[in-house]
Amino acid sequence: MSTWHRPYAASLVVVDFAAAALASFTAISMFEQARSGFAKSPDAFPLVAYLFLPLAWLIALWGHGAYDRRYLGVGTDEFKRVVRASITVAATVSFVAFATKIDLSRLSVGTALVGALAYVLVGRYLARRALVVFRGRGRAVHRVLLIGAFAEAMEVHTVVTRASGAGLVPVGINLTEGYAASRGVPAPVPVYAGRDALSLVRELGADTIAVCGSASAEPGELRRLAWQLEGTGVDLLVAPQLTDIAGPRVHIRPVEGLPLLHVEEPKLSGVAWLFKNLMDRILAALLLLLLCPLFLVISVAIKLTDRGPVFFSQPRVGREGKTFKVWKFRTMYTDAEDRLAHLVDQNEGDGLLFKIRDDPRVIPIGRLLRRTSLDELPQLINVFLGEMSLVGPRPLPADDGDFLGDVRRRLLVRPGMTGLWQVSGRSELSWDDAVRLDLYYVDNWSLAFDLVILLRTIGVVLGRKGAY
């Protein structure tokens, strides 16, 4: 039985309490009138600010499932529940202030509530990063036994091992069919055939069973397995044959005791999509104004290094196949395109990607700009013009021909300055992995998902991961 979540949840309780208390201290330090509502009983103010309000936060977080192990350590559900808890706390404080007629400073209370939300989110993000480090060392993980056909089990194995931060470590495969076909096929974990699931779990020291694909096709089989695991502390996961579909698109809708998995269409329109496009342009305009001095410094550095234009533009394919010019700071010599034909044999990329780790066409200042991703800042102009988004699939050159098959689906949304490809390895990814991540984004887009990618981008850029 996995117990990693217990000390982790306990540490989150401490972090959340400290975050709420720190938010109260911040509000009191900023506004002298914060104590105005407690003029008749000043001794009660510290108790409310540093004890009762933080406790209210803990209760609200617990009530919204923010300490539930199902949402800890992976995905955006944990952060969504923190935001919902903040709304509950704000509503509760407003009701108590109205009911008791306490004359509170609205500005100081608002600062305390918003500050607490920000501190809690930051604290949980840092806690999650620490958890990822522990999981990278083989601790705080779930040891998983995969049950199903060999091909289906291997597909699930590939997915869960690719997402190492999820903490799912396959330790064995128990085949339910296709025994002969799997003989002689190499597997990364031991393969068994027709073994009793519970005894095999004990033998391998697993704490989780993942039923893959059609392994539960026989009526009542999955239900009997769930009954068998009752009281053992072993978790039961079901991995349906719906890879790369997640988030709010998937719902369980029971009909007469039959749980139906309902998959909704991707939401590529509506209020949230309009808000995304509006915020893209507003943030792009603000960043362009703030970064003007940096643009000037980079422009001078390029001119001093190599004579030629400061900016480089290239036709790229945007939403619905429309072509536009993407802007970057020039990082290569002016004859880079002419020299490309002589470097084709050294290409380290695949698919539609051309990459060389030590590209001789790159100017000296260009290497620094590429490692720090500063060369991509002019794309804010494309975002402001509505040709790109802050988050989306990578924009690909227009002269690489038509996009066929699944690849064409990525053209349903605007390309982005950053995206899943950038926070998952960038140039170190294969073409197939880049396409898979782009399609995952298209199918599972949400505002919360965009925010997570933007936050992860900061860490990737600072760490210079996969940039060359």
Side-chain angles (χ1 to χ4, degrees), residues 69-78 128 131 135 163 165-167:
R69 65 172 179 165
R70 293 174 295 174
Y71 312 117
L72 297 180
V74 65
T76 60
D77 273 343
E78 178 184 353
R128 180 172 291 194
L131 181 62
R135 284 177 168 172

Side-chain angles (χ1 to χ4, degrees), residues 36-38 48 96-105:
S36 59
F38 293 84
V48 173
V96 171
F98 175 79
T100 57
K101 297 182 179 180
I102 299 177
D103 183 21
L104 296 175
S105 167

Side-chain angles (χ1 to χ4, degrees), residues 242 245-252 261-264:
L242 285 170
I245 295 180
R249 290 186 58 200
V250 179
H251 303 276
I252 299 294
L261 197 64
H262 180 82
V263 182
E264 296 182 352

Side-chain angles (χ1 to χ4, degrees), residues 269-287 319 380 382-391 414 445 447 450 454:
S269 60
V271 176
W273 189 255
L274 179 63
F275 182 78
K276 169 186 170 69
N277 295 332
L278 180 63
M279 290 306 300
D280 276 342
R281 299 197 181 199
I282 292 175
L283 290 175
L286 291 174
L287 288 172
R319 187 181 183 189
L380 288 169
N382 297 113
V383 177
F384 179 73
L385 295 176
E387 298 166 335
M388 292 181 61
S389 175
L390 291 177
V391 181
R414 292 185 179 91
W445 170 86
L447 289 173
D450 274 9
L454 287 173

Side-chain angles (χ1 to χ4, degrees), residues 146-407:
L146 305 175
I147 297 180
F150 184 76
E152 296 169 342
M154 285 303 300
E155 183 178 6
V156 174
H157 181 280
T158 301
V159 172
V160 299
T161 52
R162 193 164 54 209
S164 57
L168 298 174
V169 179
V171 294
I173 297 175
N174 189 25
L175 299 178
T176 56
E177 59 182 69
Y179 312 136
S182 63
R183 289 178 181 175
V185 179
V189 293
V191 179
Y192 306 88
R195 291 280 302 274
D196 176 68
L198 192 55
S199 63
L200 190 55
V201 162
R202 291 169 179 164
E203 180 180 326
L204 297 175
D207 54 63
T208 303
I209 290 178
V211 178
C212 308
S214 59
S216 58
E218 182 181 336
E221 182 180 350
L222 185 59
R223 180 177 55 193
R224 286 190 291 272
L225 178 60
W227 289 344
Q228 189 180 8
L229 297 178
E230 285 181 2
T232 63
V234 178
D235 290 334
L236 178 61
L237 305 177
V238 179
Q241 293 175 310
L242 285 170
T243 58
D244 291 338
I245 295 180
R249 290 186 58 200
V250 179
H251 303 276
I252 299 294
R253 295 189 177 179
V255 177
E256 294 294 330
L258 176 65
L260 299 178
L261 197 64
H262 180 82
V263 182
E264 296 182 352
E265 294 182 5
K267 295 181 179 179
L268 302 178
S269 60
V271 176
W273 189 255
L274 179 63
F275 182 78
K276 169 186 170 69
N277 295 332
L278 180 63
M279 290 306 300
D280 276 342
R281 299 197 181 199
I282 292 175
L283 290 175
L286 291 174
L287 288 172
L288 284 171
L289 289 174
L290 292 174
L291 295 175
C292 278
L294 180 59
F295 274 50
L296 180 59
V297 171
I298 294 175
S299 300
V300 172
I302 293 175
K303 280 292 187 181
L304 292 176
T305 303
D306 179 69
R307 292 184 178 183
V310 170
F311 296 102
F312 168 78
S313 65
Q314 187 183 47
R316 298 292 176 99
V317 179
R319 187 181 183 189
E320 297 177 351
K322 296 178 181 178
T323 303
F324 68 98
K325 283 189 175 182
V326 67
W327 291 93
K328 292 185 176 184
F329 282 117
R330 185 171 62 88
T331 59
M332 293 186 175
Y333 292 103
T334 53
D335 62 344
E337 293 297 321
D338 298 330
R339 296 162 61 181
L340 178 61
H342 302 289
L343 299 172
V344 173
D345 295 339
Q346 302 178 39
N347 184 19
E348 299 175 13
D350 58 356
L352 300 182
L353 306 178
F354 181 86
K355 287 286 185 180
I356 300 178
R357 189 171 296 273
D358 295 315
D359 197 326
R361 301 173 299 162
V362 178
I363 60 179
I365 188 63
R367 301 188 187 281
L368 175 62
L369 295 178
R370 287 188 165 206
R371 285 198 300 269
T372 57
S373 298
L374 292 176
D375 63 315
E376 299 181 0
L377 287 180
Q379 292 176 26
L380 288 169
I381 300 173
N382 297 113
V383 177
F384 179 73
L385 295 176
E387 298 166 335
M388 292 181 61
S389 175
L390 291 177
V391 181
R394 62 166 60 193
L396 295 178
D399 57 0
D400 282 315
D402 294 332
F403 298 96
L404 303 176
D406 294 341
V407 181

